[in-house]
Amino acid sequence: MNKKYTIKDIAKLAGVSKGTVDRVLHKRGKVSPLALEKVNEVLNVIDYEPNLIARNLKNNKIYHICILLPDPQIDPYWLPCIQGIKDAIQEFKAYNIRVETFYFNPEKTKSFTNTNETIIEKSPDAVLLAPLFHKETLDAIKKYDSLNIIVNTFNNQVESTLIKNFVGQDLFRSGRVAAKLLNTIIDKGQIAIIHIDETYKNAIHMQEKERGFRNYFSEKENLDYKITTLKLKSPNVEVTLKNFINENPDLSGVFITTSRAYQIAKTINEVKDRKIRIIGYDLIDENVNNLNLGVIDFLIHQNQKRQAYLGITYLVEHFLFHKETPAVTLLPIDIINSENADFYLE
């Protein structure tokens, strides 16, 4: 049952030449209908699977994948992606795969645009990118597609039929999860949904989480909550938040839609006369420290490392195995507290 059949074996079983079998397997050249039927009958019986990896290596084709990533030195949220990229490179290092990572400034659209132009000059086979800037991302995807360069995205989802795969989370559902968590640890008062430095680049990302959060509470009856949205902007995050807390003595819980929950936790921790519960996102060091101190109650883990790893893996499997890539891959919404945080940290 585990026999590995060669072209010679198949030819003998089908009663045809090795050349005929080769033409059938590689779909090249002319084959008579009778010979094609005989070969296919044998292939079905032995459940033949071609060694696509060996074929690619024999053809000496090197597949070049470029990754476009926000600079983790500017925004540490993206730091785990580097390890995900390294893991994928390590896994496929024996094959003809070349992975190259490019960084752009997540605060400047021109940096994103210029980096895309640099990648285009490299003429890669595929690009995996994090689409922070909506319009510029769509423009870049169109350019890549015109050059027959495959594009996959991760973390932020943009609507385009030219994208082969997206890896990330269902942001609407993650907002609902955050709402349910907050609902279990408070029973009344005011809840603030906090967006920090909301711009057109991340507005959809934040608003989708808020939409899910509000949707959860809209389905509940007889809840003694007032929900408001608070938009904070640097460099006045702490000052504005302090004023908001002083003006809203019933504030009992906050939901931060970005990875910067630690900024909110710092100010809230200074409020000694009442307990304000905090739900945030992502296992960056400052957030985990506040989680362990009991200032932040829960973090929702978006698993950036896994997102980057899967984004590369889908491209590699497409090239090596001709596997069909799923249009959307949604990762689990992991809930982290001080009791299980260590299991998610390396």
Side-chain angles (χ1 to χ4, degrees), residues 9 63 110 132 189 204 214 234 268 275 277 286 288 302 325 327 330 333-334:
D9 295 329
Y63 294 101
K110 192 164 184 62
L132 288 196
I204 296 176
R214 288 184 176 276
S234 299
I268 285 180
K275 179 65 175 178
R277 302 290 192 167
E286 295 94 332
V288 174
Q302 298 186 90
T325 304
L330 296 178
I333 300 170
D334 294 331

Short mmCIF file of all heavy atoms in Angstrom, two decimals, residues 9 63 110 132 189 204 214 234 268 275 277 286 288 302 325 327 330 333-334:
data_model
loop_
_atom_site.label_atom_id
_atom_site.label_comp_id
_atom_site.label_asym_id
_atom_site.label_seq_id
_atom_site.Cartn_x
_atom_site.Cartn_y
_atom_site.Cartn_z
N ASP A 9 7.09 2.10 -13.60
CA ASP A 9 6.06 1.19 -13.07
C ASP A 9 4.70 1.46 -13.71
O ASP A 9 3.98 0.53 -14.10
CB ASP A 9 5.93 1.36 -11.55
CG ASP A 9 7.19 0.94 -10.80
OD1 ASP A 9 7.89 0.04 -11.28
OD2 ASP A 9 7.46 1.55 -9.74
N TYR A 63 11.28 30.72 -5.76
CA TYR A 63 10.12 31.58 -5.56
C TYR A 63 10.48 32.68 -4.57
O TYR A 63 10.93 32.42 -3.45
CB TYR A 63 8.93 30.76 -5.04
CG TYR A 63 8.43 29.78 -6.07
CD1 TYR A 63 8.77 28.42 -5.98
CD2 TYR A 63 7.64 30.19 -7.13
CE1 TYR A 63 8.32 27.52 -6.93
CE2 TYR A 63 7.18 29.29 -8.08
CZ TYR A 63 7.53 27.96 -7.97
OH TYR A 63 7.08 27.06 -8.92
N LYS A 110 3.66 57.95 2.76
CA LYS A 110 4.68 57.99 1.72
C LYS A 110 5.71 56.86 1.91
O LYS A 110 6.21 56.29 0.94
CB LYS A 110 5.39 59.34 1.70
CG LYS A 110 6.26 59.54 0.46
CD LYS A 110 6.62 61.00 0.27
CE LYS A 110 7.40 61.22 -1.02
NZ LYS A 110 6.61 60.85 -2.21
N LEU A 132 -2.13 48.99 6.24
CA LEU A 132 -2.52 50.04 7.18
C LEU A 132 -3.25 51.18 6.48
O LEU A 132 -4.17 51.76 7.03
CB LEU A 132 -1.29 50.59 7.90
CG LEU A 132 -0.62 49.72 8.95
CD1 LEU A 132 0.30 50.56 9.81
CD2 LEU A 132 -1.63 49.01 9.83
N GLY A 189 -23.04 51.35 35.78
CA GLY A 189 -22.15 52.48 35.58
C GLY A 189 -21.95 52.82 34.12
O GLY A 189 -22.69 52.39 33.24
N ILE A 204 -11.33 51.99 10.30
CA ILE A 204 -12.18 50.82 10.05
C ILE A 204 -11.89 49.73 11.08
O ILE A 204 -12.79 49.09 11.62
CB ILE A 204 -11.98 50.30 8.61
CG1 ILE A 204 -12.43 51.35 7.60
CG2 ILE A 204 -12.72 48.99 8.40
CD1 ILE A 204 -12.19 50.97 6.16
N ARG A 214 -20.81 47.33 20.82
CA ARG A 214 -22.14 47.92 21.02
C ARG A 214 -23.24 46.93 20.65
O ARG A 214 -24.31 46.91 21.27
CB ARG A 214 -22.26 49.20 20.20
CG ARG A 214 -21.46 50.38 20.76
CD ARG A 214 -21.70 51.65 19.95
NE ARG A 214 -21.01 52.80 20.51
CZ ARG A 214 -21.47 53.55 21.50
NH1 ARG A 214 -22.65 53.26 22.05
NH2 ARG A 214 -20.79 54.58 21.95
N SER A 234 -2.59 61.75 20.76
CA SER A 234 -1.28 62.11 21.30
C SER A 234 -0.98 63.56 20.90
O SER A 234 -1.40 64.02 19.84
CB SER A 234 -0.22 61.18 20.72
OG SER A 234 -0.49 59.84 21.09
N ILE A 268 -5.44 55.27 34.86
CA ILE A 268 -6.50 54.70 35.69
C ILE A 268 -5.94 54.17 37.01
O ILE A 268 -6.60 54.24 38.05
CB ILE A 268 -7.24 53.60 34.90
CG1 ILE A 268 -8.15 54.24 33.85
CG2 ILE A 268 -8.05 52.70 35.84
CD1 ILE A 268 -8.94 53.28 33.02
N LYS A 275 -12.67 51.51 41.40
CA LYS A 275 -12.10 50.48 40.53
C LYS A 275 -12.69 50.62 39.13
O LYS A 275 -13.90 50.51 38.95
CB LYS A 275 -12.39 49.08 41.08
CG LYS A 275 -11.87 47.95 40.23
CD LYS A 275 -10.35 47.92 40.16
CE LYS A 275 -9.84 46.70 39.41
NZ LYS A 275 -8.37 46.68 39.29
N ARG A 277 -12.52 48.93 35.48
CA ARG A 277 -12.07 47.72 34.79
C ARG A 277 -11.57 48.04 33.38
O ARG A 277 -12.10 48.94 32.72
CB ARG A 277 -13.23 46.72 34.70
CG ARG A 277 -13.79 46.32 36.07
CD ARG A 277 -12.80 45.47 36.83
NE ARG A 277 -13.41 44.84 37.99
CZ ARG A 277 -12.88 43.87 38.70
NH1 ARG A 277 -11.69 43.41 38.37
NH2 ARG A 277 -13.50 43.37 39.75
N GLU A 286 4.37 46.14 27.94
CA GLU A 286 3.72 47.07 28.86
C GLU A 286 2.31 46.60 29.26
O GLU A 286 1.88 46.76 30.40
CB GLU A 286 3.64 48.48 28.25
CG GLU A 286 4.99 49.13 28.03
CD GLU A 286 5.49 48.90 26.62
OE1 GLU A 286 5.11 47.86 26.03
OE2 GLU A 286 6.24 49.73 26.11
N VAL A 288 1.26 43.40 29.29
CA VAL A 288 1.40 42.20 30.13
C VAL A 288 1.78 42.59 31.55
O VAL A 288 1.27 42.01 32.52
CB VAL A 288 2.42 41.22 29.53
CG1 VAL A 288 2.66 40.05 30.48
CG2 VAL A 288 1.95 40.70 28.18
N GLN A 302 -4.33 38.92 19.45
CA GLN A 302 -4.59 38.86 18.01
C GLN A 302 -3.59 37.97 17.26
O GLN A 302 -3.72 37.75 16.06
CB GLN A 302 -4.58 40.28 17.42
CG GLN A 302 -5.67 41.15 18.02
CD GLN A 302 -5.77 42.50 17.35
OE1 GLN A 302 -6.50 42.67 16.38
NE2 GLN A 302 -5.04 43.49 17.86
N THR A 325 -5.55 28.26 -2.11
CA THR A 325 -5.46 29.10 -0.91
C THR A 325 -6.85 29.57 -0.48
O THR A 325 -7.60 30.08 -1.31
CB THR A 325 -4.57 30.32 -1.17
OG1 THR A 325 -3.28 29.89 -1.63
CG2 THR A 325 -4.39 31.14 0.09
N ALA A 327 -9.70 32.00 0.80
CA ALA A 327 -9.82 33.45 0.64
C ALA A 327 -9.65 34.17 1.97
O ALA A 327 -9.06 35.25 2.04
CB ALA A 327 -11.16 33.80 0.02
N LEU A 330 -9.61 33.08 9.49
CA LEU A 330 -9.87 33.80 10.73
C LEU A 330 -9.30 33.01 11.90
O LEU A 330 -9.62 31.84 12.09
CB LEU A 330 -11.37 34.03 10.92
CG LEU A 330 -12.04 34.91 9.86
CD1 LEU A 330 -13.54 35.01 10.13
CD2 LEU A 330 -11.42 36.31 9.83
N ILE A 333 -10.13 33.91 18.76
CA ILE A 333 -10.06 35.11 19.59
C ILE A 333 -9.65 34.65 20.99
O ILE A 333 -10.48 34.19 21.78
CB ILE A 333 -11.40 35.86 19.60
CG1 ILE A 333 -11.77 36.27 18.17
CG2 ILE A 333 -11.34 37.07 20.52
CD1 ILE A 333 -13.18 36.81 18.03
N ASP A 334 -8.37 34.75 21.31
CA ASP A 334 -7.84 34.26 22.57
C ASP A 334 -8.02 35.30 23.68
O ASP A 334 -7.66 36.47 23.50
CB ASP A 334 -6.36 33.92 22.45
CG ASP A 334 -6.11 32.74 21.51
OD1 ASP A 334 -7.01 31.88 21.41
OD2 ASP A 334 -5.04 32.69 20.89
#
